Amino acid sequence: MITEKMQQAFLEQINKELYSEYLYLSMKAYFADKNLNGFVNWMSIQVQEEHAHAMGMFDYVIERGGRITLDTIEKPKNDWASPLEAFKDVVQHEQYITSQINALYDVADETKDRAAQLFLNWYVKEQVEEEASAGDILAHLELIGNDTKALLDLDKELSSRVFNPPVIG
Ligand code: OFO
């Protein structure tokens, strides 16, 4: 059975994962408006991944005998000055999520919840990947600067990303 404190910490993180989904959905709309369809594809997959992150925790809380209650999802930003500015926000957001997953792990540690620690190991590893992939794209955008042809090449590259449903836990 999950403790009240652990359950509350998971509920707060589920909300943040749903906000991540919402933020990337908003970025997907921004890139669609710019006709950058490879970026749209990248964001579509990001949206699906964030949904899976939220649902993984949602199902885990239920499996541990907890009770899910949902809260308001914060309104995301809807516009960016450039793809570079959007990806600065992606990297900053993923760094924030990493800090929040670590804080969730700390609660599992404090409450000696070994099952939650094992479960959260997947998320700790996932954040390494999340920060790395967003960081790579940001670095490319910084190199690209105002070179439209290079931006379109990157867009083409991002169109090949595919969604592999994560096996969480
Ligand atoms: Fe982007 O990793 Fe979940 O939030």
Side-chain angles (χ1 to χ4, degrees):
M1 184 81 186
I2 198 164
T3 63
E4 195 62 38
K5 186 170 181 181
M6 193 75 246
Q7 173 174 293
Q8 187 53 33
F10 269 111
L11 292 180
E12 285 166 19
Q13 190 59 34
I14 288 167
N15 186 270
K16 286 169 190 148
E17 298 296 337
L18 291 172
Y19 171 76
S20 302
E21 178 179 359
Y22 217 32
L23 174 66
Y24 296 137
L25 193 57
S26 181
M27 288 187 181
K28 175 179 170 173
Y30 162 77
F31 283 113
D33 191 52
K34 304 282 172 220
N35 295 309
L36 288 167
N37 294 329
F39 283 89
V40 170
N41 176 60
W42 196 91
M43 287 298 167
S44 290
I45 289 158
Q46 203 62 20
V47 164
Q48 292 174 80
E49 286 201 352
E50 298 303 353
H51 187 73
H53 295 169
M55 292 315 294
M57 290 182 185
F58 184 102
D59 292 342
Y60 176 78
V61 169
I62 291 172
E63 196 183 354
R64 294 292 309 280
R67 169 77 168 98
I68 296 285
T69 50
L70 297 174
D71 207 341
T72 311
I73 302 170
E74 191 189 329
K75 181 181 174 177
K77 195 165 154 179
N78 277 306
D79 200 17
W80 289 268
S82 64
L84 175 70
E85 293 304 316
F87 267 85
K88 278 186 190 167
D89 279 3
V90 175
V91 169
Q92 195 182 55
H93 181 67
E94 288 305 331
Q95 288 169 347
Y96 166 69
I97 291 295
T98 298
S99 74
Q100 297 306 293
I101 294 287
N102 289 341
L104 187 56
Y105 201 101
D106 287 345
V107 176
D109 217 16
E110 279 163 30
T111 56
K112 299 195 187 329
D113 189 334
R114 305 296 175 229
Q117 286 172 21
L118 284 174
F119 173 75
L120 286 169
N121 281 339
W122 185 90
Y123 286 88
V124 172
K125 281 188 258 169
E126 173 71 1
Q127 280 313 116
V128 174
E129 210 180 286
E130 289 277 79
E131 283 193 36
S133 66
D136 274 357
I137 298 170
L138 176 60
H140 286 164
L141 286 167
E142 278 165 349
L143 286 171
I144 285 169
N146 292 324
D147 183 342
T148 308
K149 158 98 176 59
L151 180 66
L152 292 175
D153 285 347
L154 176 60
D155 186 59
K156 197 168 170 192
E157 195 184 314
L158 298 183
S159 68
S160 63
R161 186 184 188 197
V162 289
F163 179 59
N164 296 309
V167 181
I168 298 174

